[in-house]
Amino acid sequence: CIRDRSNNNTFYTDANGLDFQKRVTGQRETWKWKNDQPAAGNYYPVTAAIYLEDVAKDQRFAVLNDRPQGGGVIQPGEIELMINRRLLADDGHGVEEPLNELDWDGKGTVSYTH
């Protein structure tokens, strides 16, 4: 969490480690977006890095990850990364099976705070 930072709902995710894509929470540049799933609709693939910056203070906060994850900035100044996904029953939204990704120790979803 980055306190007292103004990122204007803008953050950047890498595109296969080659370049960064500008992302704006709750907006799409090429179509009108209906914000009916604010968390899920603002997660993007993060292959190697995600960052946000406070242009006024000339500061940047980045997270470099060691494996592909989903990530986003749902609340201003906070980067979220999805470590494990767990859904014990099909939710009817296209996967057509439960998701039960386990951690290294064989346990389910774990919450980490840094």
Side-chain angles (χ1 to χ4, degrees), residues 80-113:
E80 290 186 16
L81 287 172
M82 186 184 315
I83 298 173
N84 296 328
R85 297 178 295 170
R86 193 167 201 192
L87 184 62
L88 298 179
D90 180 26
D91 64 357
H93 291 286
V95 178
E96 298 181 6
E97 65 182 46
L99 294 172
N100 192 15
E101 295 180 348
L102 302 177
D103 209 347
W104 60 271
D105 60 359
K107 295 181 180 177
T109 305
V110 178
S111 177
Y112 297 97
T113 304

Coordinates of all heavy atoms in Angstrom, one line a residue, residues 80-113:
E80 N -2.6 -4.9 -6.0 CA -3.0 -6.2 -5.6 C -2.5 -7.2 -6.6 O -2.6 -7.0 -7.8 CB -4.6 -6.3 -5.7 CG -5.3 -5.5 -4.6 CD -6.8 -5.8 -4.6 OE1 -7.2 -6.8 -5.2 OE2 -7.5 -5.0 -3.9
L81 N -2.0 -8.4 -6.1 CA -1.6 -9.5 -7.0 C -2.3 -10.7 -6.5 O -2.4 -11.0 -5.3 CB -0.1 -9.7 -6.9 CG 0.8 -8.7 -7.6 CD1 2.3 -8.9 -7.3 CD2 0.6 -8.7 -9.1
M82 N -2.8 -11.5 -7.5 CA -3.5 -12.7 -7.2 C -2.5 -13.8 -7.1 O -1.8 -14.1 -8.1 CB -4.6 -13.0 -8.2 CG -5.4 -14.2 -7.9 SD -6.6 -14.7 -9.2 CE -7.3 -13.2 -9.7
I83 N -2.4 -14.5 -6.0 CA -1.4 -15.5 -5.8 C -2.0 -16.9 -6.1 O -1.5 -17.6 -6.9 CB -0.8 -15.5 -4.4 CG1 -0.1 -14.2 -4.1 CG2 0.1 -16.7 -4.1 CD1 0.4 -14.0 -2.8
N84 N -3.2 -17.2 -5.5 CA -3.9 -18.4 -5.8 C -5.3 -18.1 -6.1 O -5.9 -17.1 -5.5 CB -3.8 -19.4 -4.6 CG -2.4 -19.9 -4.3 OD1 -1.6 -20.0 -5.2 ND2 -2.2 -20.1 -3.0
R85 N -6.0 -18.9 -6.9 CA -7.4 -18.8 -7.1 C -8.1 -20.0 -6.5 O -7.7 -21.1 -6.6 CB -7.7 -18.7 -8.6 CG -7.1 -17.5 -9.2 CD -7.4 -17.5 -10.7 NE -6.8 -18.6 -11.3 CZ -7.0 -19.0 -12.6 NH1 -7.8 -18.3 -13.3 NH2 -6.4 -20.0 -13.1
R86 N -9.2 -19.7 -5.8 CA -10.0 -20.9 -5.2 C -11.4 -20.6 -5.3 O -12.0 -19.6 -4.9 CB -9.6 -21.0 -3.8 CG -10.0 -22.3 -3.2 CD -9.4 -22.6 -1.9 NE -9.4 -24.0 -1.6 CZ -9.1 -24.5 -0.4 NH1 -8.7 -23.7 0.6 NH2 -9.2 -25.8 -0.2
L87 N -12.1 -21.5 -6.0 CA -13.5 -21.5 -6.1 C -14.0 -23.0 -6.1 O -13.7 -23.7 -7.0 CB -13.9 -20.9 -7.5 CG -15.4 -20.7 -7.8 CD1 -16.0 -19.7 -6.8 CD2 -15.5 -20.1 -9.2
L88 N -14.6 -23.4 -5.0 CA -14.9 -24.8 -4.8 C -16.0 -25.3 -5.6 O -16.2 -26.5 -5.6 CB -15.0 -25.0 -3.3 CG -13.8 -24.7 -2.4 CD1 -14.1 -24.9 -0.9 CD2 -12.6 -25.4 -2.9
A89 N -16.8 -24.5 -6.2 CA -17.9 -24.9 -7.1 C -17.9 -24.0 -8.3 O -17.5 -22.9 -8.3 CB -19.2 -24.8 -6.4
D90 N -18.3 -24.6 -9.4 CA -18.4 -23.8 -10.7 C -19.4 -22.6 -10.5 O -20.5 -22.8 -10.0 CB -18.9 -24.7 -11.8 CG -19.0 -24.0 -13.1 OD1 -18.3 -23.0 -13.3 OD2 -19.9 -24.4 -13.9
D91 N -18.9 -21.4 -10.9 CA -19.7 -20.2 -10.7 C -20.6 -19.9 -11.9 O -21.3 -18.9 -11.9 CB -18.8 -19.1 -10.3 CG -17.9 -18.7 -11.4 OD1 -17.8 -19.3 -12.4 OD2 -17.1 -17.7 -11.2
G92 N -20.5 -20.7 -12.9 CA -21.3 -20.4 -14.1 C -20.8 -19.3 -15.0 O -21.6 -18.8 -15.8
H93 N -19.6 -18.9 -14.8 CA -19.0 -17.8 -15.6 C -18.0 -18.3 -16.6 O -17.0 -17.5 -16.9 CB -18.4 -16.7 -14.7 CG -19.5 -16.0 -13.9 ND1 -20.3 -15.0 -14.5 CD2 -19.8 -16.1 -12.6 CE1 -21.1 -14.6 -13.6 NE2 -20.8 -15.2 -12.4
G94 N -18.1 -19.5 -17.1 CA -17.2 -19.9 -18.3 C -16.1 -20.9 -18.0 O -15.7 -21.5 -18.9
V95 N -15.7 -21.0 -16.8 CA -14.6 -22.0 -16.5 C -15.1 -23.4 -16.6 O -14.4 -24.3 -17.0 CB -13.9 -21.7 -15.2 CG1 -12.8 -22.7 -14.9 CG2 -13.3 -20.3 -15.2
E96 N -16.3 -23.6 -16.2 CA -17.0 -24.9 -16.2 C -16.4 -25.9 -15.3 O -16.5 -27.1 -15.6 CB -17.2 -25.4 -17.6 CG -18.1 -24.4 -18.4 CD -18.4 -24.9 -19.8 OE1 -18.0 -26.0 -20.2 OE2 -19.0 -24.1 -20.6
E97 N -15.7 -25.5 -14.3 CA -15.1 -26.4 -13.3 C -14.7 -25.6 -12.1 O -14.4 -24.4 -12.2 CB -13.9 -27.2 -13.9 CG -12.7 -26.3 -14.2 CD -11.6 -27.2 -14.8 OE1 -11.8 -28.0 -15.7 OE2 -10.5 -26.9 -14.4
P98 N -14.5 -26.3 -10.9 CA -14.0 -25.6 -9.8 C -12.6 -25.2 -10.0 O -11.8 -25.9 -10.7 CB -14.2 -26.6 -8.6 CG -15.0 -27.7 -9.2 CD -14.9 -27.6 -10.6
L99 N -12.1 -24.2 -9.3 CA -10.7 -23.8 -9.3 C -10.2 -24.0 -7.9 O -10.7 -23.5 -7.0 CB -10.5 -22.3 -9.7 CG -10.9 -21.9 -11.1 CD1 -10.9 -20.4 -11.2 CD2 -10.0 -22.5 -12.1
N100 N -9.1 -24.8 -7.8 CA -8.6 -25.1 -6.5 C -7.1 -25.1 -6.6 O -6.4 -26.1 -6.6 CB -9.1 -26.4 -5.9 CG -8.7 -26.6 -4.5 OD1 -8.3 -25.6 -3.8 ND2 -8.8 -27.8 -4.0
E101 N -6.5 -23.9 -6.8 CA -5.0 -23.8 -6.9 C -4.4 -23.9 -5.5 O -4.9 -23.1 -4.6 CB -4.6 -22.5 -7.6 CG -5.1 -22.4 -9.0 CD -4.8 -21.2 -9.7 OE1 -4.3 -20.2 -9.1 OE2 -4.9 -21.1 -11.0
L102 N -3.5 -24.7 -5.3 CA -2.9 -24.9 -4.0 C -1.5 -24.2 -3.9 O -0.9 -24.0 -4.9 CB -2.7 -26.4 -3.7 CG -4.1 -27.2 -3.8 CD1 -3.8 -28.7 -3.6 CD2 -5.1 -26.7 -2.8
D103 N -1.2 -23.9 -2.7 CA 0.1 -23.3 -2.4 C 1.2 -24.3 -2.4 O 0.9 -25.5 -2.6 CB 0.1 -22.6 -1.1 CG 1.0 -21.4 -1.0 OD1 1.9 -21.2 -1.9 OD2 0.9 -20.6 0.0
W104 N 2.4 -24.0 -2.2 CA 3.6 -24.9 -2.3 C 3.4 -26.0 -1.3 O 4.0 -27.1 -1.4 CB 4.9 -24.1 -2.1 CG 4.9 -23.4 -0.7 CD1 4.5 -22.2 -0.5 CD2 5.4 -24.0 0.5 NE1 4.6 -21.9 0.9 CE2 5.2 -23.0 1.5 CE3 5.9 -25.2 0.9 CZ2 5.5 -23.1 2.8 CZ3 6.3 -25.3 2.2 CH2 6.1 -24.3 3.2
D105 N 2.7 -25.8 -0.2 CA 2.6 -26.8 0.9 C 1.3 -27.6 0.8 O 1.0 -28.3 1.7 CB 2.7 -26.1 2.3 CG 1.6 -25.1 2.5 OD1 0.8 -24.9 1.6 OD2 1.5 -24.5 3.6
G106 N 0.6 -27.5 -0.4 CA -0.6 -28.2 -0.6 C -1.9 -27.7 0.1 O -2.9 -28.2 0.0
K107 N -1.8 -26.5 0.7 CA -2.9 -25.8 1.3 C -3.6 -24.9 0.3 O -3.0 -24.6 -0.7 CB -2.5 -25.1 2.6 CG -1.9 -26.0 3.7 CD -1.6 -25.2 4.9 CE -1.0 -26.2 6.0 NZ -0.6 -25.4 7.1
G108 N -4.7 -24.4 0.7 CA -5.5 -23.5 -0.2 C -5.0 -22.1 -0.2 O -3.8 -21.8 0.2
T109 N -5.9 -21.2 -0.4 CA -5.5 -19.8 -0.6 C -4.9 -19.3 0.7 O -5.5 -19.5 1.8 CB -6.8 -19.0 -0.9 OG1 -7.3 -19.5 -2.1 CG2 -6.5 -17.5 -1.1
V110 N -3.9 -18.5 0.6 CA -3.2 -17.9 1.7 C -3.2 -16.4 1.5 O -3.0 -15.9 0.4 CB -1.8 -18.4 1.9 CG1 -1.1 -17.7 3.0 CG2 -1.8 -19.9 2.1
S111 N -3.4 -15.6 2.5 CA -3.3 -14.1 2.4 C -2.0 -13.6 2.8 O -1.6 -13.9 3.9 CB -4.5 -13.5 3.2 OG -4.4 -12.1 3.1
Y112 N -1.3 -12.9 2.0 CA 0.0 -12.3 2.3 C -0.1 -10.8 2.4 O -0.8 -10.2 1.6 CB 1.1 -12.7 1.2 CG 1.3 -14.2 1.1 CD1 0.6 -14.9 0.1 CD2 2.2 -14.8 1.9 CE1 0.9 -16.3 0.0 CE2 2.4 -16.2 1.8 CZ 1.8 -16.9 0.8 OH 2.0 -18.2 0.7
T113 N 0.6 -10.2 3.3 CA 0.7 -8.8 3.4 C 2.2 -8.4 3.4 O 3.0 -9.0 4.2 CB 0.0 -8.3 4.7 OG1 -1.3 -8.8 4.7 CG2 0.0 -6.8 4.8

